[in-house]
Amino acid sequence: MVKDFVNLLNREFKDIHQAAIVIAIFTFLSQILGLLRDRALAHIVGPSEALDVYYAAFRIPDFLFVSVASLISMTVLLPVLSKKVNNSEEGEDRAREFFSQVCTVLFFSLSIISAILFFLMPFLVDSIAPGFSDIAKHNLIEVSRIMLLSPIILGLSNAFGAVTHLYKKFFVYALAPIFYNLGIILGIVFLYERIGIMGLGFGVILGAVMHLTVQIPILGRHKFLPKFTKIKDKKEIRELVSLSIPRTLAISLNSFGMLVLVSILSKLNEGAVSLFSLSYNLQSVPIGIIGISYSVASFPLLVELFSKNEIDKFVLHMTSAIRRVLFWALPIATLFIVLRAQIVRVTLGTNLFSWSDTRLVAAALGRFSIGLVAQALIHLFVRGFYAGGKTSKPLFVNFISTIAMIGFSVLFLQFYQNNETFRFFMASLFRAPEEGAGMLMLPLGYSLAGILNVMILWIIFKRDYLKGQAFRVREVFSTLLHTLAASCLAGIFAYFGLIVGDRFFDINSFLGIFLQGALGGILGLIAFTIAIYLFDDKDGIAVLESFKQKFWKSKPIIPEDENLN
């Protein structure tokens, strides 16, 4: 068994869809652990000031990670290492030496900035959470200081990911987040009751260390373990950082946007930060499984195709991945909207998590799900532009969408607080209690901004790469229309399943609510599958047959132009 596990760690995946499936499976396992993590938080800590502090404490470390560590990230480092390894004059030795220099710069840069932020944290806390009590602000300072170690560790781990991608060891890359969540869970279960809120911070650090160490065997096997070294290639590293700046600014905008949202939430009712974060984590599950899996698996191949100037194949694989993401994300978004209450009650409905909390998180999840497909596609589009060296375009789009996210959120919240009719409508839309429902305006603003983001990215992608390839556009829209129609049918059948389940199961018990949700989900998926075959959607049928083949070993149906690896 150990030998088989080691073989899996060392397996090289060259097929993009096979790699995406592998990453999706392990992302799913990671997300399951993420749900167990959130359930443990709901059960042991509960939506409270303490949990608000825990989630708010991520903001500064996360901002440091995306604004500094991402200057030398996997997505920009991978093409450089790939070029050096494939260059007969330089080879792997030159790549290893350069990698050590990069890791040295990254480690010392993050360490110095973390040390500065450690002492500045008391002055930053009022900007992060101005609505917190004095005790909560004190705890926020202490936990944030502990978590400042995580950008250093995860920054190095992210750089290590460039090597695992270089040798197409997607299994290891997908395994790292599982260990990250496991470390956090250990902190919740074993440290929180012993040392309080600080234990949650130490759990995050444990998870970050595990995220890093799981990749070390691959780096060791290929002799890429970095060493502190003298910086000889300063010009090349500056060029690498310069190339990363648009991407770093783009994701920093997202992190800044979340900082603003947390600041707004801290002024609302106690637990608002927790409830928003828990619902955000739930909607992130399908985004991670679908959007991130396909974007991560696609990136090395897209980089390779673009570097070889094989633009037709580049476009083919991008549009193919877009259609796959649409095919999986649309029905899941629909089912999340219909089954939102069952999802929340099964995953979080425990101990300190009240019925009012359940209704608020379910309503927030429904609003987040409106933009779920867009969020999944954004990851793919952004990596596609990065593979083509067009890093400034996602920055421009992210700037617009971040401003829109903050603007929509503030506008909806102001309107909600000042208009009784709008307040009643928004609370009733997803059956949320009126008390505390103001926080629901932020997920709505987030989703609408995501939809705006992906619409602009599609327009730019179409203009840059799809001139003279109208048939590719038609393929994407055909998948969109067929999948949307099938998803609507799935939603209707899922709702019917809830009605039937309400009659036959005890929905006041965990098992009953699970069975009710499972019945609705199964009926929805069956309806979706039947609809795809009735519409004779060839791309959808190919995906279903390929998926079935993975489990039942039947012969897959593959469209002729997609087998171009």
Side-chain angles (χ1 to χ4, degrees):
M1 182 177 293
V2 175
K3 184 178 179 181
D4 292 339
F5 181 74
V6 172
N7 288 335
L8 276 174
L9 286 176
N10 291 318
R11 184 174 177 184
E12 181 177 331
F13 293 91
K14 295 183 178 180
D15 179 79
I16 182 174
H17 299 305
Q18 185 184 49
I21 290 172
V22 170
I23 294 173
I25 290 171
F26 283 92
T27 302
F28 175 73
L29 294 176
S30 174
Q31 298 291 358
I32 291 296
L33 279 179
L35 293 177
L36 292 175
R37 173 203 66 207
D38 287 349
R39 185 174 178 85
L41 286 168
H43 181 81
I44 296 173
V45 186
S48 59
E49 188 176 73
L51 194 55
D52 284 351
V53 167
Y54 168 74
Y55 281 119
F58 277 96
R59 294 301 101 212
I60 292 297
D62 277 1
F63 188 74
L64 173 59
F65 175 77
V66 301
S67 60
V68 179
S70 61
L71 285 171
I72 305 177
S73 68
M74 178 197 69
T75 51
V76 294
L77 186 55
L78 174 59
V80 176
L81 292 180
S82 178
K83 184 178 179 180
K84 289 182 180 298
V85 168
N86 294 322
N87 189 325
S88 58
E89 295 181 0
E90 294 184 326
E92 290 189 346
D93 289 340
R94 183 69 186 88
R96 294 183 186 109
E97 180 185 355
F98 181 74
F99 184 68
S100 288
Q101 294 180 48
V102 165
C103 288
T104 299
V105 170
L106 186 61
F107 175 79
F108 283 106
S109 299
L110 288 170
S111 297
I112 292 169
I113 297 174
S114 291
I116 294 171
L117 289 173
F118 181 91
F119 293 105
L120 290 178
M121 197 59 69
F123 305 99
L124 298 173
V125 70
D126 283 327
S127 299
I128 302 170
F132 280 9
S133 67
D134 290 340
I135 295 175
K137 287 180 180 178
H138 172 75
N139 289 334
L140 179 58
I141 292 169
E142 297 304 314
V143 179
S144 295
R145 283 174 165 174
I146 294 170
M147 289 190 182
L148 281 171
L149 286 171
S150 65
I152 303 172
I153 302 167
L154 292 175
L156 289 173
S157 185
N158 190 32
F160 285 10
V163 177
T164 58
H165 271 65
L166 179 66
Y167 293 101
K168 296 182 173 60
K169 309 296 184 183
F170 296 113
F171 181 88
V172 174
Y173 182 82
L175 197 62
I178 294 177
F179 282 92
Y180 178 66
N181 280 321
L182 182 60
I184 296 176
I185 291 172
L186 292 174
I188 297 167
V189 175
F190 295 106
L191 298 179
Y192 177 71
E193 292 186 355
R194 289 175 172 80
I195 58 176
I197 189 70
M198 307 306 161
L200 300 180
F202 284 118
V204 172
I205 302 307
L206 175 61
V209 170
M210 295 171 72
H211 189 286
L212 174 77
T213 53
V214 73
Q215 300 185 78
I216 288 178
I218 296 301
L219 272 72
R221 183 184 179 194
H222 293 280
K223 300 179 182 179
F224 261 92
L225 279 176
K227 298 175 288 187
F228 291 121
T229 185
K230 184 178 180 181
I231 312 303
K232 300 177 182 177
D233 300 307
K234 295 179 182 179
K235 181 180 178 182
E236 194 167 4
I237 292 176
R238 281 197 298 267
E239 290 174 353
L240 185 71
V241 170
S242 177
L243 183 64
S244 301
I245 287 175
R247 175 186 181 274
T248 299
L249 289 174
I251 58 178
S252 295
L253 285 169
N254 290 337
S255 184
F256 173 77
M258 293 301 288
L259 266 172
V260 173
L261 295 191
V262 167
S263 178
I264 295 170
L265 288 163
S266 73
K267 298 178 182 179
L268 302 179
N269 52 296
E270 182 180 305
V273 175
S274 306
L275 297 175
F276 175 88
S277 300
L278 289 169
S279 56
Y280 177 85
N281 290 344
L282 283 174
Q283 67 97 35
S284 297
V285 173
I287 293 173
I289 294 171
I290 301 167
I292 295 178
S293 296
Y294 265 102
S295 62
V296 168
S298 301
F299 187 64
L301 179 60
L302 293 173
V303 169
E304 180 183 343
L305 292 174
F306 198 88
S307 65
K308 293 179 179 178
N309 202 33
E310 297 180 4
I311 305 302
D312 287 342
K313 287 187 178 182
F314 173 87
V315 171
L316 167 62
H317 283 285
M318 268 297 294
T319 54
S320 174
I322 290 170
R323 281 153 42 212
R324 296 294 173 94
V325 170
L326 285 171
F327 180 82
W328 293 116
L330 272 167
I332 290 177
T334 304
L335 292 178
F336 261 54
I337 292 173
V338 176
L339 306 176
R340 62 191 183 279
Q342 286 69 29
I343 292 170
V344 173
R345 289 180 67 184
V346 167
T347 55
L348 302 174
T350 175
N351 198 26
L352 299 177
F353 205 77
S354 68
W355 175 236
S356 178
D357 295 331
T358 299
R359 292 176 65 193
L360 282 171
V361 173
L365 179 59
R367 285 164 170 78
F368 272 125
S369 298
I370 294 171
L372 192 152
V373 177
Q375 293 297 332
L377 283 170
I378 286 170
H379 290 282
L380 180 62
F381 275 117
V382 168
R383 276 185 166 82
F385 281 114
Y386 289 157
K390 299 184 178 183
T391 55
S392 61
K393 293 184 178 181
L395 169 61
F396 167 73
V397 178
N398 263 27
F399 177 78
I400 293 175
S401 66
T402 300
I403 297 300
M405 178 180 71
I406 296 171
F408 286 149
S409 298
V410 172
L411 180 64
F412 288 141
L413 184 58
Q414 289 292 323
F415 204 50
Y416 176 85
Q417 292 173 336
N418 297 318
N419 189 293
E420 186 174 346
T421 303
F422 183 73
R423 182 164 59 249
F424 175 78
F425 171 75
M426 294 306 294
S428 302
L429 183 60
F430 287 101
R431 300 180 182 178
E434 286 195 42
E435 184 179 355
M439 57 85 62
L440 300 176
M441 302 305 102
L442 279 68
L444 181 60
Y446 181 90
S447 292
L448 293 179
I451 293 170
L452 176 64
N453 190 319
V454 82
M455 287 175 64
I456 298 174
L457 286 173
W458 167 253
I459 291 171
I460 296 173
F461 179 79
K462 183 180 174 183
R463 184 196 65 192
D464 289 356
Y465 295 110
L466 295 177
K467 290 181 181 178
Q469 299 196 47
F471 66 101
R472 295 293 178 203
V473 178
R474 287 196 298 270
E475 286 177 343
V476 171
F477 276 95
S478 175
T479 298
L480 174 63
L481 293 175
H482 288 162
T483 307
L484 181 60
S487 298
C488 290
L489 189 63
I492 294 171
F493 274 75
Y495 186 73
F496 174 74
L498 295 183
I499 296 173
V500 173
D502 187 39
R503 294 176 177 270
F504 289 95
F505 304 123
D506 178 13
I507 61 171
N508 294 314
S509 67
F510 174 85
L511 180 61
I513 199 69
F514 174 80
L515 291 175
Q516 184 195 30
L519 177 61
I522 291 170
L523 287 179
L525 291 175
I526 291 173
F528 176 80
T529 303
I530 292 172
I532 289 296
Y533 280 97
L534 289 176
F535 293 148
D536 193 27
D537 184 82
K538 292 181 172 55
D539 189 58
I541 292 172
V543 175
L544 291 173
E545 291 293 330
S546 178
F547 184 76
K548 185 173 72 172
Q549 187 268 343
K550 296 292 180 184
F551 294 94
W552 288 283
K553 307 299 181 183
S554 60
K555 186 177 180 180
I557 299 173
I558 303 174
E560 293 180 4
D561 64 350
E562 288 197 13
N563 193 22
L564 288 177
N565 288 326

